[in-house]
């Protein structure tokens, strides 16, 4: 990335490709970091509308959303990412 915060044109398609290829792994990496935090807390509620902090998917008004807190870090996530989070939590608890 340049100092101006834009990707150089020649790198843009390669970057987009890499993002797609690493997308699922990236979601897992973020969620794993939360799942392995010793005192992680989760809250469920009805959304006021917004974007999932992990996949950037739309969370519609009144859809179920989850707040996951790990110390000073907090993410608001959708049901799909919460399912991945639960898988990571069960791995963390088995370890
Ligand atoms: Zn998500």
């Amino acid at each position: 990335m340049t100092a101006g915060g834009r990707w150089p044109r020649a790198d843009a398609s390669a970057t987009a490709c890499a993002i797609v290829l690493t997308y699922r792994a990236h979601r897992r990496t973020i969620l794993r970091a939360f799942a392995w935090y010793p005192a992680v807390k989760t809250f469920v509620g009805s959304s006021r509308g917004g974007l999932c902090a992990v996949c950037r998917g739309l969370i519609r008004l009144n859809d179920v959303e989850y707040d996951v807190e790990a110390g000073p870090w907090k993410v608001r996530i959708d049901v799909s990412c919460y399912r991945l989070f639960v898988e990571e939590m069960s791995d963390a608890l088995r370890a």
Side-chain angles (χ1 to χ4, degrees):
M1 201 181 311
T2 64
R6 289 173 167 256
W7 292 102
R9 199 172 182 82
D11 291 346
S13 64
T15 301
C17 186
I19 288 169
V20 169
L21 290 175
T22 59
Y23 176 67
R24 274 193 73 84
H26 176 68
R27 286 170 75 190
R28 283 228 180 246
T29 301
I30 295 170
L31 293 167
R32 185 174 300 139
F34 277 85
W36 284 77
Y37 190 82
V40 66
K41 297 177 191 168
T42 61
F43 305 91
V44 62
S46 177
S47 179
R48 284 180 285 165
L51 295 178
C52 172
V54 174
C55 72
R56 310 305 294 167
L58 179 66
I59 306 175
R60 291 192 185 87
L61 185 68
N62 297 323
D63 275 1
V64 173
E65 68 180 14
Y66 299 86
D67 285 338
V68 181
E69 288 183 15
W73 299 283
K74 179 177 168 182
V75 286
R76 179 159 294 159
I77 60 177
D78 59 7
V79 173
S80 152
C81 288
Y82 185 74
R83 285 194 188 115
L84 285 178
F85 172 75
V86 168
E87 285 176 24
E88 292 298 334
M89 276 293 284
S90 75
D91 287 350
L93 292 172
R94 270 200 301 264

